[in-house]
Amino acid sequence: MKRLLRHLPLLMLAVLALTSCDKQDDIDRAYTHYRYDIVTYLGENGTGALFEYLGHGDSAAITLQSRVTVSEVKTQQRVLLRYNYADEAVAARQRDIDVYGCNGIFSDSLRMTQSPDSLPRHEVKLRSMWRTGEFINVHCQVEYTNKARTFLLVADGKTLNSDTVECYLSHDLLGERGTFWRDCYASFNVGALWKRPSCKCLRVHLNDVTFPNTEYYDFNK
């Protein structure tokens, strides 16, 4: 069983490949035939690491079975997985996969505050934001600092019982000065809020320099 160690510092996105392949065809495939998905790391069984993939919206979950082990990633953590399917079972609920890279990303649950105006909201460059099941996923660019920062999704507690719950992407450089822009991936579990019958819309506010006239995005049931 191959051992995979690809838990990189947050905000780092690298194109990684297993270097223990014996055949040139395998190496070429790792670079030319692959997917990037944000998935949940489920732990390991006797074969290797397991991941759960959710498609857009409310698609059924698919279990991804690998033949590698993953270090420094906690169970239930969301990760950016670079892989490809190793089988042809298109409609199956479990798929065998070949893993080429596994990157740690910001993985958290929805927070709550009574004072949303006090949240730090340092600017980002949004690339995309989408929902998969109970997760709101974000791909953006942030300014690199080489230091720790906070990157959270926070709900306004005063709107929790409203049909539209106001949420804020809170980004704080913690006093550091940003330099160049770098890719960032994040995934937030909003299930506790999304399951509420009263919640019809989850509205995410952010400070985006790519689309400065768009102050928020709505996710509707």
Side-chain angles (χ1 to χ4, degrees):
M1 183 182 297
K2 299 172 183 175
R3 184 164 186 81
L4 183 70
L5 177 57
R6 291 292 186 272
H7 180 66
L8 300 183
L10 295 177
L11 311 177
M12 181 177 292
L13 172 62
V15 178
L16 303 173
L18 295 175
T19 58
S20 57
C21 300
D22 295 324
K23 297 181 181 180
Q24 185 65 36
D25 288 344
D26 293 335
I27 298 175
D28 291 344
R29 185 176 179 82
Y31 281 104
T32 61
H33 296 78
Y34 60 86
R35 299 168 55 102
Y36 268 125
D37 286 312
I38 294 179
V39 300
T40 303
Y41 172 59
L42 299 179
E44 298 178 6
N45 58 16
T47 302
L50 291 167
F51 305 90
E52 182 181 70
Y53 166 80
L54 293 168
H56 281 257
D58 298 306
S59 301
I62 299 175
T63 301
L64 306 178
Q65 173 70 69
S66 76
R67 294 184 177 275
V68 300
T69 60
V70 176
S71 299
E72 301 179 28
V73 178
K74 297 179 180 179
T75 302
Q76 297 302 317
Q77 181 178 344
R78 300 282 278 172
V79 298
L80 182 65
L81 190 68
R82 181 170 176 264
Y83 70 102
N84 199 11
Y85 294 117
D87 61 47
E88 302 298 329
V90 177
R93 292 295 181 89
Q94 178 164 322
R95 302 288 302 272
D96 292 332
I97 61 171
D98 296 319
V99 176
Y100 307 128
C102 180
N103 298 71
I105 65 174
F106 284 104
S107 178
D108 196 18
S109 295
L110 180 69
R111 308 291 184 98
M112 191 272 288
T113 182
Q114 296 294 335
S115 305
D117 292 340
S118 65
L119 290 171
R121 295 173 61 195
H122 193 77
E123 60 189 18
V124 302
K125 288 184 177 181
L126 184 66
R127 292 293 180 261
S128 59
M129 185 184 303
W130 68 102
R131 181 179 69 86
T132 53
E134 297 180 357
F135 296 94
I136 297 295
N137 309 294
V138 180
H139 174 203
C140 64
Q141 288 189 324
V142 298
E143 292 174 283
Y144 179 73
T145 67
N146 197 31
K147 300 290 184 179
R149 71 181 67 203
T150 60
F151 200 80
L152 308 170
L153 185 63
V154 186
D156 180 355
K158 298 186 293 294
T159 69
L160 290 185
N161 296 317
S162 303
D163 57 357
T164 298
V165 181
E166 308 288 343
C167 301
Y168 297 83
L169 189 64
S170 179
H171 179 210
D172 190 355
L173 298 185
L174 302 178
E176 298 295 325
R177 183 176 180 178
T179 54
F180 58 91
W181 293 91
R182 197 161 194 174
D183 278 312
C184 170
Y185 287 83
S187 186
F188 305 99
N189 190 320
V190 299
L193 174 63
W194 192 255
K195 293 175 183 176
R196 290 190 175 200
S198 61
C199 178
K200 305 301 181 184
C201 173
L202 191 154
R203 176 169 292 169
V204 180
H205 299 258
L206 71 164
N207 180 12
D208 177 29
V209 298
T210 304
F211 306 103
N213 294 326
T214 303
E215 298 181 1
Y216 60 82
Y217 293 88
D218 286 345
F219 295 90
N220 299 298
K221 284 187 178 178

